[in-house]
Amino acid sequence: MSILLSLTSETETVENKIARRLQNLFPNGCRRIMLVHIPQLPEEIFDLETARLGVYPANPPYGLGLLARNLNEAGYETKILDLNFTILSHLRDEPFQFNIWEKVLREEITSFLPDLIGVDCMFSMAHNSMRAVAECIKGVNPKLPVVAGSVHVSNATRQILEDVPEIDFAVTHESDSALVSIVDFANGKINKNTLTQTATLVNGEYLVIEKREVPSGDNLSFSPDYGDLPIGQYSALG
């Protein structure tokens, strides 16, 4: 019997292993998704005087806005939290506290009560910011699933999952449909064969579904849904 179980485990497909981990992470489904735009510079290289000159980036999180639009149209509730904006909007505080974003993140998690948090990381220089955000999330709720995506995550998927164990899953390349598929699967709407561009670690084993779902047609004509982000204030900060 033990030999049979061993053989079954060894020959189990990647899709089955990823599907089982998703089912374990979402025993009660997934309805509320928070999308977090991380600080674009880690604290160790952030310079307050430079920031106060308005030269650091303060762009609305366009990619997360598109993801929110897709998730909303699929019937889910979303909230975008821009921690980069949070930091820049407090530049004139005396004393300035870079880690104000931690307080805001904890408060928003407690208020919104998400079933899943997605974090973006566009550039490798923001890697430590992504790690800090993931650690903060798990500090609030160790069982709250975290998924990461964007360019840096796509370019170094395995290294990120190994380096930041607080990240449960990574979505590679375009997340427009792939993230919706993960949530749909968590809710029993689709089967595991529909999952795309999804990676995780299970007992140290790197698992990835390489199949991609590239947006096309009407999926390219969406406008972002920024929710309650104060878009009109961004240009004054950077």
Side-chain angles (χ1 to χ4, degrees):
M1 184 67 174
S2 62
I3 294 176
L4 177 60
L5 289 174
S6 176
L7 289 173
T8 302
S9 176
E10 290 177 2
T11 58
E12 187 177 17
T13 66
V14 167
E15 288 80 6
N16 281 346
K17 292 179 181 180
I18 288 178
R20 186 169 63 251
R21 178 140 203 253
L22 283 171
Q23 290 167 339
N24 290 337
L25 283 173
F26 299 100
N28 301 311
C30 178
R31 305 300 307 177
R32 299 162 67 84
I33 301 97
M34 179 180 287
L35 302 171
V36 178
H37 189 50
I38 66 173
Q40 295 304 285
L41 292 173
E43 185 173 8
E44 59 266 24
I45 63 173
F46 185 91
D47 181 75
L48 178 57
E49 295 309 314
T50 301
R52 285 176 171 171
L53 291 175
V55 297
Y56 282 159
N59 302 312
Y62 181 78
L64 296 187
L66 294 178
L67 292 180
R69 170 75 65 182
N70 288 342
L71 287 164
N72 292 339
E73 296 205 351
Y76 302 112
E77 185 175 354
T78 64
K79 180 176 182 59
I80 299 179
L81 180 59
D82 188 344
L83 298 179
N84 192 64
F85 176 86
T86 295
I87 293 170
L88 296 180
S89 64
H90 286 272
L91 289 177
R92 301 299 170 182
D93 289 358
E94 293 293 352
F96 169 74
Q97 295 180 316
F98 180 89
N99 63 356
I100 183 66
W101 66 264
E102 296 180 14
K103 177 177 181 291
V104 172
L105 176 57
R106 288 192 294 265
E107 289 175 346
E108 292 294 340
I109 292 174
T110 302
S111 173
F112 184 67
L113 295 176
D115 301 308
L116 168 67
I117 293 186
V119 299
D120 65 352
C121 189
M122 181 71 73
F123 305 111
S124 58
M125 68 179 181
H127 180 88
N128 288 341
S129 292
M130 177 179 61
R131 178 195 289 111
V133 169
E135 290 173 348
C136 185
I137 294 168
K138 293 294 189 178
V140 176
N141 182 355
K143 294 184 178 180
L144 181 54
V146 176
V147 60
S150 203
V151 177
H152 175 53
V153 177
S154 298
N155 289 338
T157 311
R158 180 169 187 166
Q159 294 91 324
I160 288 169
L161 289 170
E162 291 175 340
D163 185 52
V164 190
E166 292 81 8
I167 295 175
D168 299 292
F169 275 88
V171 179
T172 64
H173 307 290
E174 307 86 354
S175 302
D176 304 59
S177 300
L179 182 58
V180 175
S181 294
I182 287 176
V183 179
D184 279 347
F185 177 80
N187 290 306
K189 293 183 177 181
I190 61 173
N191 63 45
K192 63 181 182 296
N193 297 322
T194 311
L195 294 171
T196 59
Q197 301 165 223
T198 304
T200 189
L201 290 176
V202 176
N203 297 324
E205 180 185 9
Y206 178 63
L207 305 170
V208 59
I209 298 174
E210 301 281 3
K211 182 175 63 175
R212 291 178 62 178
E213 188 172 359
V214 181
S216 61
D218 291 341
N219 289 332
L220 294 175
S221 62
F222 284 125
S223 297
D225 185 348
Y226 291 122
D228 58 1
L229 289 183
I231 299 301
Q233 299 178 26
Y234 276 70
S235 62
L237 297 178

